[in-house]
Amino acid sequence: MFTVKTPEETFSVIEAEFRPFLPAETVSLSECCGRILAEDILSSEYVPGFTRSTVDGYAVKASDTFGCSDSIPALLTLSGEILMGEEASVPLTPGCCFAVPTGGAVPEGADAVVMIEYTENYGDGMIGIEKPASPGMNMIYKGDDLVPGKTVLPAGRRITVSDIGALASLGITRIPVRRRLLAGIISTGDELVPVEETPEGGQIRDVNTHMLDALCREMGMDTRLYGIVNDQAELLSAVLEKAIAECDLVLISGGSSVGARDAASAVIEKHGSILFHGIAMKPGKPTILGKAGNKPVFGLPGHPVAAFFITKLYVRHAAAVLTGADYAVRTTPAILTEALSTNHGRSETLGVRLSEQDGKLYAAPVHTKSGLISALAGTDGYITISRDCEGLPAGAAVNVSFYSVN
Amino acid sequence: MFTVKTPEETFSVIEAEFRPFLPAETVSLSECCGRILAEDILSSEYVPGFTRSTVDGYAVKASDTFGCSDSIPALLTLSGEILMGEEASVPLTPGCCFAVPTGGAVPEGADAVVMIEYTENYGDGMIGIEKPASPGMNMIYKGDDLVPGKTVLPAGRRITVSDIGALASLGITRIPVRRRLLAGIISTGDELVPVEETPEGGQIRDVNTHMLDALCREMGMDTRLYGIVNDQAELLSAVLEKAIAECDLVLISGGSSVGARDAASAVIEKHGSILFHGIAMKPGKPTILGKAGNKPVFGLPGHPVAAFFITKLYVRHAAAVLTGADYAVRTTPAILTEALSTNHGRSETLGVRLSEQDGKLYAAPVHTKSGLISALAGTDGYITISRDCEGLPAGAAVNVSFYSVN
């Protein structure tokens, strides 16, 4: 029997044993979405860079409009029109106004903009203001949003679309990010055949190569696929050695139970050290975590559902540690649709389908006794029942984690 | 003034006016993640294809083990060992057992597998069973998961990683998906300069080209960028004509307010029809939706935050209609950290930052009076306050939508 770690201990071991080691590289705005920032991004500018109007109207001194109304408009001299992309050539003087478009520069001396709807142009060089303005009205001041030196985005952040907007607005077009993690993926098992082939008696298709490839790429990694390797120690040893040399992180799926033909554990030990063998969770108990130099080597269970959840939970965490990335798992409360029985000392992770009824969100667990991945297809997220839990009744409040992270 | 649609009416107009028109194409397993299924995927096989063991142990007839215990084991004759990827050459006969590994084929005649931990191998061809088995124990039956003809994934589904697992397990390696939508992106505005340039008085950088490019690609589209076009009707008309001819959907940002120099509306009308001009929401009121043939043409506000939310909400919806895709916006309840004032008849959408404290989730709204995108950087999702709402107090329950969809 192997000694097992709890899920919490597994996260701690990963944090204690591994460190960020991926070098930084520079990418363009169109390449940076989803990448991990290697440095803090500071503003080098005022944003906005000039004081601007948020409406189409007239820039005024607010004090010139106090007390005016529909029936007694304030009469101001039109000093000119400010066009988009231009500045006023002269400051605003008392008793005067400038026409400004939405987004246009507000001239020096003005402290409010009156919307065009509340004005009348008499056509003789005079503008009637029919509603009083308060100072600051319909304006955005230079530096309202950012001033030089302010941190816009912290190192470790996974760059989002709105972050790209912020970078573009600052003119930051070369973005320092961590190199993508390269994950090596190996499937082991004498029973495996390539997915294109029809399995014969006792054989099954190699699901994990394709699923782990997609999963790692969805998590922002590049992948290198080493295909199916028989459960023979010499063969597996040669492929693992190559994968460790070429990649930043290696996933071997299959061959990690205590069964007679399982070679993964011995082979991982040969090329590094084993940090633990076994996590007290279901599915996924026979997971191995090894370390070769500074690189994690995961021995994942062959069952696709187990391999899926172990990768979602722990490989993702290792990848975050190696890249120095922050990530947050997004969750939502929901109501369990059926009772779930006890766990006998193992935490249990199950895929769920979400549905809304009468404004309430329900989570229907998908049972994967079988370990067959098609049961997971169509699920919206997952729940984890802690090892201390004695089971949950139908109607219990659960917290559903979504698959994608922010 | 323009007549405005409510957000609900906007969704309805999109659904009424547009139809899926993208042809199907076939892609490989490694290319299909995130693509929209063009047809239902049916199983053509039994999954699993054979009855298998979920543990390392001995395949038995459960009735041969009834009443056995540690002290009085049931003694069974070892008929052989079933290796991974192989089948038993003969059926199991009463009083006998076969050694089977995890995932191995269970021989005909067996109806349970006893874990190796509860057995003893006497080495003389006899196996002692120390715990009684119940029928079906530690087995998965042929077809438990899928039988031929069962729908595995419906047309319109956005393919996820676990779906790829299901497709691989069925040997489906050529996947029928909709062609990717090609979005044409045009920025208009005399005040815009390319992001690489330093704006001079009154100018601003063209944030929207880069942000909308990233946003459309994140939503699964391909993009074609037409750059910055001045607010002159003839120039814009020529570029829009080209974009409509080349793309499936066109986004023009800027130039959609009622300001004097705004040309987008007239130009969209020239190349098609305007379905509406204005949505009763903040930010984003001056949005235009036009139709050129069967293609949507969006006139987005120039303010990046407004363009961001209009694209998140309505361009996403139009893209789903054009590809026949299902999508679900994921949400979570949270507690508002500060009071929000009334909307004056417009629904309002605000980015929020989420934080957890004492097991409760709090949503801090990010005010974007400025329309400046850097305020959105670092937000985790958004809330929408309906037009009927008279404002919300601090501590109010809100529903936060995440940016990514499943």
Side-chain angles (χ1 to χ4, degrees), chain A residues 210-220 307-308 311-312, chain B residues 161:
Chain A
H210 300 277
M211 190 186 65
L212 295 174
D213 175 32
L215 191 47
C216 287
R217 288 193 284 139
E218 187 184 62
M219 296 192 294
F308 178 84
T311 303
K312 270 285 173 205
Chain B
V161 169

Side-chain angles (χ1 to χ4, degrees), chain A residues 156-167:
Chain A
R157 181 170 170 88
R158 182 182 300 276
I159 298 171
T160 66
V161 169
S162 55
D163 296 345
I164 290 173
L167 293 166

Side-chain angles (χ1 to χ4, degrees), chain B residues 203-275:
Chain B
Q203 297 180 324
I204 56 169
R205 292 195 180 92
D206 172 27
V207 169
N208 283 348
T209 287
H210 300 277
M211 189 186 65
L212 295 175
D213 176 32
L215 190 47
C216 287
R217 287 193 286 137
E218 186 184 62
M219 297 193 291
M221 305 180 210
D222 288 328
T223 55
R224 187 163 292 177
L225 308 182
Y226 294 89
I228 301 169
V229 182
N230 282 354
D231 280 347
Q232 285 152 26
E234 315 82 63
L235 278 177
L236 190 55
S237 177
V239 175
L240 180 59
E241 187 175 6
K242 189 166 147 67
I244 289 170
E246 294 176 346
C247 304
D248 305 310
L249 175 155
V250 180
L251 308 182
I252 307 177
S253 77
S256 63
S257 89
V258 287
R261 296 182 54 79
D262 296 336
S265 175
V267 168
I268 292 173
E269 196 145 31
K270 184 174 163 193
H271 293 285
S273 58
I274 289 191
L275 300 176

Side-chain angles (χ1 to χ4, degrees), chain A residues 30 45 145 205 217 374 380, chain B residues 30 45 145 205 217 374:
Chain A
S30 68
E45 299 186 359
D145 214 39
R205 292 196 180 91
R217 288 193 284 139
S374 45
D380 301 303
Chain B
S30 68
E45 299 186 359
D145 214 38
R205 292 195 180 92
R217 287 193 286 137
S374 46

